């Protein structure tokens, strides 16, 4: 098996970093200027996580292409970390957004589009009732509140290594088997271990034990954990057992499809026959315009109606003035009818497969102990021999130094990979040539790393 020479890795990373910086004088100048008005030189902390000494500042983007202010044109496989999974500014979304902009953006009133979107979502996800939110974070906050309200139970359960947005209750992890407020949890509102149970994914005995006392309102999970350094896939039969145990103990099952919507038009849930009580979806649902949705069964819909819409209902903690605004609804309608179509998914998944196979071929050719996972249009590679089964195993495969080298190497050759993990997405505008270019650049990076 090939191994990585760390001094070679450090030298290559340093030269790639210099090359990156030298070729981007305008981004560098803007970053230096930004430091005087934006904390850390960026408007949001994650934008400082790109691998170079400063991020490439975006000029414009369209389809699978992004251009930075120094004129570098990238094949974008990051796609806003899923927010632009259907390509940058899909033409149908751009068209209706422009039209809606001239007709009223936000009014705190329902529109016909709201009804049409809910009907389209009901067909697609086989859940009859829907509500909207501004982001997936927002939607997850709301559904956790609703789950506690409906069940009258105080606790929730999440899996080690989960990420569901900046949702206080979910910023927990297991360290040496013990629940902990997650490292880096900024100014926690409360100790999240008090009312959140956290166990490893794929551990059915732990799940049985955690739900047995019937104090847990809901299990909140992605169908496969995508927010680790590597994807944690469910064992065969895991979801069926999770569904059965949740049902037996009166615990609601909330499936967060925000990333796994890459799997197919109805997400992982429809592709694998999952039966969530509540389903959450954000990021690309309005083609890049901020919006999120959550769907629920008939029973849950009835219980929410009783609590939130009954006479004298006082609602605090759910919703917001800009939520379900007219612009977001118009964009969601266009996304559901013209962008996130079966045909678009067929293309994206076929290219996802080409991407995964190309990366696997490089890994095999160089005899590397690395694995590649694919969730439809989403592909990820990690530096471990086989996919992890738990959050703890996934963390053990993290190697941020190797990530950084790959990301810099790719950026310098016009290929954009998602920072913080090695995640790549194919969108409807991605071409076979784009995929082949990535695989070529990836192959060159591996050869350089191994000195071949
Ligand atoms: C599964 C999942 N849920 C929720 C979120 C939160 O999304 P947002 O940051 O758009 O609110 C994320 C973000 O990465 C996510 O991966």
């Amino acid at each position: 098996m090939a191994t990585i020479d760390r001094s070679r890795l450090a030298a290559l990373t340093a030269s790639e970093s210099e090359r990156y910086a030298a070729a981007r004088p305008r981004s560098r100048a803007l970053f230096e200027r930004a430091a005087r008005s934006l904390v850390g030189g960026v408007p949001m902390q994650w934008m400082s996580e790109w691998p170079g000494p400063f991020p490439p500042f975006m000029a414009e983007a369209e389809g699978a292409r992004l251009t930075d202010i120094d004129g570098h044109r990238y094949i974008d496989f990051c796609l806003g970390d899923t927010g632009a999974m259907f390509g940058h500014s899909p033409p149908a979304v751009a068209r209706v957004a422009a039209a809606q902009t001239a007709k009223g953006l936000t009014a705190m009133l329902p529109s016909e589009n709201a009804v049409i979107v809910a009907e389209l979502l009901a067909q697609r996800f086989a859940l009859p009732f829907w509500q909207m939110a501004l982001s997936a974070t927002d939607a997850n906050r709301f559904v956790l509140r609703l789950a506690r309200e409906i069940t009258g139970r105080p606790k929730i359960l999440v899996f080690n290594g989960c990420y569901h947005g900046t949702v206080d209750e979910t910023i927990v992890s297991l360290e040496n088997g013990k629940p902990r407020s997650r490292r880096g949890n900024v100014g926690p509102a409360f100790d999240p271990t008090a009312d959140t149970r956290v166990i490893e994914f794929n551990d059915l005995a732990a799940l049985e034990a955690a739900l047995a006392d019937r104090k847990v309102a809901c299990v909140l999970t992605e169908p496969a954990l995508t927010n680790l350094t590597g994807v944690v896939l469910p064992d065969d039969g895991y979801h069926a057992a999770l569904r059965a145990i949740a049902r037996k103990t009166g615990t609601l099952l909330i499936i967060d499809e925000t990333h796994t919507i890459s799997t197919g038009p109805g997400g992982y849930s429809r592709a694998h026959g999952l039966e969530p009580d509540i389903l959450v979806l954000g990021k690309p649902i309005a083609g890049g315009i901020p919006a999120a949705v959550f769907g629920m069964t008939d029973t849950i819909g009835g219980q929410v109606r009783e609590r939130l819409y009954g006479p004298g209902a006082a609602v605090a903690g759910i919703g917001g003035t800009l939520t379900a605004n007219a612009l977001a609804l118009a964009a969601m309608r266009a996304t559901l009818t013209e962008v996130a179509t079966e045909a678009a998914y067929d293309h994206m998944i076929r290219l996802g497969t080409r991407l995964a196979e190309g990366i696997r071929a490089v890994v095999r050719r160089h005899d590397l102990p690395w694995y590649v996972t694919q969730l439809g249009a989403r592909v990820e590679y990690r530096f471990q021999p086989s996919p992890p089964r738990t959050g703890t195993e996934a963390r053990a495969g993290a190697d941020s130094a190797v990530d950084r080298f790959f990301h810099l190497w790719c950026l310098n050759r016009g290929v954009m990979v998602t920072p913080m993990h090695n995640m790549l997405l194919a969108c409807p505008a991605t071409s076979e040539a784009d995929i082949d270019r990535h695989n070529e650049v990836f192959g060159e990076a591996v050869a350089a790393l191994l000195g071949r």
Side-chain angles (χ1 to χ4, degrees), residues 193-266:
T193 62
D195 272 328
T196 300
R197 292 184 178 166
V198 51
I199 59 170
E200 296 286 9
F201 200 66
N202 282 323
D203 184 344
L204 285 173
L207 183 69
E208 289 260 22
L211 300 188
D213 65 4
R214 296 174 178 249
K215 289 198 169 136
V216 175
C218 62
V219 172
L220 170 62
T221 187
E222 292 185 271
L225 306 188
T226 66
N227 280 296
L228 288 143
T229 45
V231 175
V232 177
L233 296 170
D235 289 347
D236 283 348
Y238 181 69
H239 273 293
L242 165 61
R243 181 58 280 185
I245 296 167
R247 228 169 237 144
K248 190 177 76 184
T249 54
T251 314
L252 300 182
L253 177 60
I254 306 175
I255 297 285
D256 181 351
E257 288 273 9
T258 298
H259 277 174
T260 48
I261 192 64
S262 63
T263 312

Side-chain angles (χ1 to χ4, degrees), residues 359-381:
I359 299 171
R360 277 193 197 107
V362 172
V363 166
R364 262 197 314 272
R365 188 159 72 242
H366 290 282
D367 196 23
L368 285 162
W370 298 354
Y371 74 86
V372 182
T373 42
Q374 181 187 357
L375 283 168
R378 181 185 177 106
V379 173
E380 193 148 345
Y381 56 90

Side-chain angles (χ1 to χ4, degrees), residues 311-332:
V315 178
I318 303 273
T321 47
L322 295 175
T323 300
N325 64 74
L327 176 65
L329 266 305
M332 271 197 258

Side-chain angles (χ1 to χ4, degrees), residues 46 81 134-138 140 163-166 222 226-227 256-260 280 282-283:
W46 299 4
D81 193 11
L134 268 185
S135 66
T137 296
D138 215 19
N140 280 320
Y163 184 71
H164 298 284
T166 53
E222 292 185 271
T226 66
N227 280 296
D256 181 351
E257 288 273 9
T258 298
H259 277 174
T260 48
V280 170
K283 295 202 184 185

Side-chain angles (χ1 to χ4, degrees), residues 339-394:
V339 179
T341 59
E342 296 274 348
Y345 268 98
D346 286 350
H347 173 83
M348 290 156 66
I349 294 169
R350 191 171 57 75
L351 291 196
T353 304
R354 189 180 181 97
L355 187 57
E357 282 171 357
I359 299 171
R360 277 193 197 107
V362 172
V363 166
R364 262 197 314 272
R365 188 159 72 242
H366 290 282
D367 196 23
L368 285 162
W370 298 354
Y371 74 86
V372 182
T373 42
Q374 181 187 357
L375 283 168
R378 181 185 177 106
V379 173
E380 193 148 345
Y381 56 90
R382 289 310 309 172
F383 319 117
Q384 283 175 314
S386 53
R389 287 185 58 252
T390 64
T392 298
E393 284 178 24

Side-chain angles (χ1 to χ4, degrees), residues 115-194:
V115 184
I116 292 170
V117 164
E119 289 166 354
L120 291 165
L121 291 167
Q123 275 164 23
R124 196 177 271 243
F125 295 100
L127 288 169
F129 288 108
W130 291 82
Q131 294 278 269
M132 277 74 193
L134 268 185
S135 66
T137 296
D138 215 19
N140 280 320
R141 286 193 192 124
F142 298 163
V143 298
L144 290 180
R145 282 175 176 272
L146 292 173
R148 286 191 295 256
E149 180 73 22
I150 288 169
T151 59
R153 297 178 179 185
K155 298 189 183 292
I156 67 154
L157 183 138
V158 295
F159 294 103
N160 187 30
C162 73
Y163 184 71
H164 298 284
T166 53
V167 181
D168 287 310
E169 300 96 311
T170 63
I171 308 182
V172 289
S173 63
L174 282 178
E175 276 183 41
N176 302 321
K178 293 232 165 20
R180 281 283 167 86
S181 175
R182 204 169 121 181
R183 270 165 217 254
N185 190 1
V186 178
F190 47 81
D191 174 5
T193 62

